[in-house]
Amino acid sequence: MPELPEVEIVKQSLIKGVQFKKITDVIIKNRNLRFKIEKNLKNKILNKNINNIYRKSKYLILKFDKNEFLIIHFGMSGTLHKIKDNNKIKTNLSFYHLKNLPKKHNHVYFIFKNFKIIYNDPRRFGFIKYFNSHQKLNNFFKNYGPDPFEKSFNIEYLKKKLKDKKKNIKNLLLDQKFISGIGNIYANEILFYSKINPLKKGENISNYEINKILKISKSVLNKAIKKGGSSIRDFKNSKGKEGSFQEEFAVYDREKKNCKSRNCNSKIIKINISNRSTYICNYCQKK
DNA sequence: AAGAGGCCCTGATAGC
DNA sequence: TGCTATCAGGGCCTCT
């Protein structure tokens, strides 16, 4: 499901609804995610207060008192849902992403005093991990590249990392060791607005293009955050507070549609790069 | 050692 | 309608 903007929306929702609240019970219905949820997770977080909530790339980080952390990754299909105890049917729409609580694939119930937060993940590509120190948390992220909003994501960094890289720029943007937080939707969008062909090799990216990537990755992601993220596929018809950035995609999922650039009469085409759908305007993104 | 592709999994949808 | 094939906001692992 989510890339950086969607996780950011979840984070913002949680800050409103869950920060400074205490977990009074944890019910694990199904431990099978990308990594098995540890058996004694409940004992580790029971009766603990969530004192802060962060996002790092596509990860949600819950911080408890005393430097204990829970990280949540949503994989392709993970979602969080808030259910109020005084009305079992009504879900709280301030939470990304689904309107209603799904019947299947609810893996974990985090119980609070007056509500529950439920982690649902049909495809099980997401995971939940606990760390009991700052060092262990940092260690988990040590191989991750900067998130596009971090200061270390700058000209020098990109120049250095792109030098002699044979890998194409699309795969580089998707490589979390290189930049973390960008996924398939936003990689496509960023390359379109940067007017860079996704197949262009890293080593051939010019300084001018590096500057474009720096600037445009931030602007595209920021715009998506402002729109509440992207809600596509099974989410696209639901109403409520889900994101609307999908309505503004320039290229993603726009095969055979008109290029949105002014003075361009081309159609968006879809190609395959490393088994991920890649959408380009061949005219605007010449090699 | 970097880079490409397979694979993990379920569900929605398109095409026959 | 009911098959089957393909595809999906990700990323770890294996092979070359």
Side-chain angles (χ1 to χ4, degrees):
Chain A
M1 184 254 297
E3 303 181 34
L4 186 154
E6 291 75 31
V7 181
E8 177 65 23
I9 297 301
V10 177
K11 184 203 82 180
Q12 291 173 7
S13 304
L14 287 173
I15 284 175
K16 280 185 205 155
V18 176
Q19 194 177 17
F20 308 128
K21 302 283 197 306
K22 191 168 81 175
I23 295 178
T24 58
D25 199 5
V26 180
I27 301 166
I28 301 173
K29 296 271 189 193
N30 183 350
R31 294 171 54 217
N32 296 316
L33 291 174
R34 173 181 291 281
F35 309 114
K36 267 207 164 180
I37 298 173
E38 58 178 303
K39 270 185 187 159
N40 54 351
L41 176 69
K42 173 175 169 170
N43 296 329
K44 293 183 173 174
I45 63 175
L46 193 63
N47 290 321
K48 285 178 182 165
N49 174 54
I50 296 172
N51 84 15
N52 221 334
I53 300 159
Y54 314 98
R55 177 194 56 73
K56 158 84 182 162
S57 60
K58 300 177 192 172
Y59 288 86
L60 186 70
I61 305 174
L62 306 183
K63 182 184 177 295
F64 300 100
D65 300 334
K66 296 184 186 170
N67 285 333
E68 294 178 275
F69 304 89
L70 195 70
I71 64 168
I72 300 177
H73 192 282
F74 297 98
M76 288 282 253
S77 57
T79 46
L80 285 181
H81 308 267
K82 186 183 182 190
I83 309 284
K84 287 189 174 174
D85 283 346
N86 58 11
N87 186 339
K88 283 175 185 167
I89 294 163
K90 197 176 175 186
T91 56
N92 184 326
L93 291 176
S94 70
F95 276 78
Y96 200 82
H97 203 153
L98 282 177
K99 192 177 174 186
N100 299 308
L101 179 69
K103 291 187 177 72
K104 292 166 77 176
H105 309 297
N106 291 320
H107 287 253
V108 186
Y109 290 65
F110 299 97
I111 315 289
F112 296 80
K113 194 180 171 191
N114 296 315
F115 61 92
K116 307 176 177 90
I117 298 288
I118 298 161
Y119 178 85
N120 179 283
D121 190 355
R123 294 181 72 183
R124 301 186 210 152
F125 291 162
F127 61 91
I128 297 173
K129 263 195 161 89
Y130 165 89
F131 299 103
N132 64 3
S133 74
H134 225 283
Q135 197 195 343
K136 284 176 187 164
L137 179 74
N138 288 343
N139 194 49
F140 177 85
F141 286 110
K142 73 172 189 293
N143 293 322
Y144 282 75
D147 144 333
F149 295 115
E150 285 169 9
K151 276 186 212 145
S152 50
F153 182 56
N154 54 39
I155 298 172
E156 290 70 36
Y157 177 80
L158 277 179
K159 269 190 193 170
K160 196 178 99 189
K161 294 295 265 189
L162 290 173
K163 195 169 181 286
D164 300 325
K165 273 280 185 303
K166 310 290 175 207
K167 206 189 236 187
N168 66 61
I169 187 66
K170 167 89 186 303
N171 279 342
L172 282 164
L173 290 183
L174 292 177
D175 180 354
Q176 306 299 298
K177 291 196 279 299
F178 176 66
I179 304 171
S180 65
I182 296 171
N184 200 37
I185 288 180
Y186 297 104
N188 277 293
E189 296 294 307
I190 290 164
L191 289 172
F192 171 78
Y193 287 112
S194 301
K195 297 190 184 291
I196 301 171
N197 189 288
L199 289 166
K200 195 162 187 172
K201 288 179 181 172
E203 61 182 1
N204 295 329
I205 301 292
S206 68
N207 288 346
Y208 176 78
E209 288 170 327
I210 285 177
N211 275 307
K212 281 267 183 202
I213 292 171
L214 279 171
K215 216 174 128 188
I216 286 171
S217 57
K218 287 187 193 55
S219 66
V220 167
L221 295 169
N222 265 328
K223 196 174 169 196
I225 291 167
K226 273 193 190 133
K227 295 282 171 180
S230 304
S231 307
I232 61 173
R233 217 143 293 123
D234 45 332
F235 308 116
K236 72 178 143 195
N237 293 323
S238 59
K239 287 173 188 146
K241 286 196 178 179
E242 66 279 341
S244 64
F245 192 68
Q246 67 280 2
E247 291 158 20
E248 309 199 13
F249 290 161
V251 285
Y252 183 83
D253 205 19
R254 295 196 65 245
E255 189 184 15
K256 293 174 184 164
K257 297 199 168 140
N258 292 329
C259 175
K260 289 187 175 179
S261 290
R262 253 190 292 176
N263 306 322
C264 180
N265 298 317
S266 298
K267 306 273 187 212
I268 304 305
I269 61 164
K270 180 180 172 181
I271 62 170
N272 206 293
I273 299 179
S274 298
N275 288 323
R276 306 301 299 273
S277 289
T278 306
Y279 299 88
I280 51 176
C281 170
N282 254 339
Y283 183 81
C284 296
Q285 295 167 272
K286 292 197 179 89
K287 261 194 113 174

